[in-house]
Amino acid sequence: METLDYNSFAEKCIEDLKTLQNKFQKEYDLNWYENWFYSQTTGLLTLSTGDKELSFKYFEAGSFSEKSNTWKWSWDNNHVPDNIKERTKLIKEFGQKSNFPKLTNGYFQSDEYEAWEFTAIAAKLANGIGAYRPVSDGQLQIFLVITEFVDNKTAQNIKDKYVECSAHEYRRRAFICSHLNQVTKVGFEEAFETFENMELSDEDDFQAWCNECENVRQKEGEWNDNSMAFANIKVVCEQCYFEIKELNTGHR
């Protein structure tokens, strides 16, 4: 079996990324957009000019520091959420199988060319459609691999599933009755069994209510105008939801 040579493989990935980028730029006219914003919470990169927006799903390959001339794979970065770095585990696994230390060491001395090289490898292994490099604070370059285009309606639906919380910043939304709180135990009923960071379908949300609301719901026979009025549903963030659940049930 022929041994894969890292340098040859990396060069091929760079050439493939150049082809991808030309197609990506041409298809979406990226240079027309004046602003960019990427969210580690939603996993969306959004480009905009005025009220015109263009959105993509992405994952973070890693980051290059101009200050220390170092590369850090996102799978080795505790500050990057799991949903944003999950696919980079493929790169590490591939590096282990191929005996490529640059794909298995999480943090090391490097340069900007290699950073693009690593991004090209990530795009190749994860079937990306392109790459994007936002620059943070002028010294830290973040390298994103774009995985798919998201139409504006779908992008808005994704964004709508998140709320800004004064205690926990930007998190997935959850619905609870107005009687649930973070101080008093009032019981905890759920629409379905939940745990932190669980995957939800597009139709599902975290939903919970107290014992009194459950009594009213059972008396009414269903969620109707009367039981809903008694519950007086409010929106909280996912983190608040599980803190309330832990208070009432002792587990998250």
Side-chain angles (χ1 to χ4, degrees):
M1 183 175 179
E2 184 179 353
T3 302
L4 189 63
D5 174 69
Y6 175 80
N7 290 331
S8 299
F9 174 70
E11 287 176 10
K12 179 64 167 60
C13 289
I14 283 286
E15 292 305 310
D16 289 346
L17 180 60
K18 288 179 181 178
T19 302
L20 276 180
Q21 286 297 93
N22 288 335
K23 181 180 178 182
F24 187 43
Q25 291 274 1
K26 184 177 180 180
E27 183 171 358
Y28 296 105
D29 193 18
L30 301 184
N31 292 330
W32 183 81
Y33 295 90
E34 299 173 350
N35 308 300
W36 58 265
F37 175 77
Y38 71 96
S39 168
Q40 289 187 328
T41 304
T42 63
L44 292 178
L45 166 69
T46 301
L47 308 179
S48 65
T49 293
D51 60 353
K52 301 295 184 181
E53 292 189 346
L54 184 67
S55 296
F56 302 93
K57 289 185 178 181
Y58 77 91
F59 69 89
E60 183 176 320
S63 57
F64 172 71
S65 171
E66 296 179 9
K67 184 177 181 180
S68 61
N69 289 318
T70 52
W71 169 262
K72 190 173 186 63
W73 286 104
S74 65
W75 55 258
D76 190 50
N77 193 336
N78 292 331
H79 298 293
V80 177
D82 288 342
N83 64 306
I84 299 302
K85 64 184 179 183
E86 182 66 27
R87 292 201 186 190
T88 58
K89 294 177 182 178
L90 295 172
I91 292 94
K92 184 178 181 181
E93 291 171 0
F94 177 80
Q96 290 170 336
K97 292 177 182 178
S98 305
N99 193 28
F100 292 162
K102 289 184 178 181
L103 306 187
T104 58
N105 295 331
Y107 178 71
F108 49 89
Q109 292 293 127
S110 189
D111 57 37
E112 187 174 344
Y113 180 83
E114 274 199 327
W116 277 111
E117 199 172 74
F118 300 145
T119 305
I121 292 172
K124 178 74 172 180
L125 296 178
N127 296 316
I129 63 171
Y132 197 80
R133 184 192 61 179
V135 179
S136 175
D137 70 27
Q139 293 184 332
L140 187 66
Q141 300 180 17
I142 310 296
F143 288 80
L144 311 180
V145 174
I146 310 304
T147 56
E148 64 179 284
F149 165 75
V150 180
D151 64 76
N152 288 341
K153 182 178 179 181
T154 301
Q156 192 58 52
N157 287 340
I158 292 173
K159 295 172 184 177
D160 286 345
K161 284 187 171 290
Y162 294 82
V163 294
E164 188 172 0
C165 175
S166 59
H168 305 114
E169 298 180 341
Y170 204 49
R171 302 289 179 113
R172 282 189 294 183
R173 69 185 180 187
F175 297 93
I176 63 173
C177 74
S178 59
H179 313 111
L180 285 169
N181 59 80
Q182 293 172 304
V183 179
T184 310
K185 290 184 178 182
V186 292
F188 195 88
E189 298 287 339
E190 292 186 292
F192 50 87
E193 184 62 34
T194 65
F195 55 88
E196 284 188 274
N197 301 316
M198 71 182 294
E199 294 278 344
L200 294 177
S201 69
D202 291 339
E203 294 76 27
D204 287 332
D205 287 293
F206 297 111
Q207 302 174 39
W209 53 94
C210 71
N211 288 346
E212 282 301 311
C213 283
E214 177 63 9
N215 291 337
V216 173
R217 186 185 73 85
Q218 290 189 13
K219 182 179 179 181
E220 294 291 326
E222 62 180 346
W223 285 114
N224 57 22
D225 290 344
N226 290 334
S227 53
M228 289 297 291
F230 183 81
N232 190 20
I233 300 297
K234 62 182 180 181
V235 178
V236 297
C237 85
E238 177 182 3
Q239 190 69 22
C240 288
Y241 181 93
F242 283 101
E243 288 177 1
I244 293 170
K245 180 175 181 177
E246 184 176 34
L247 169 70
N248 283 277
T249 66
H251 60 84
R252 300 169 80 143

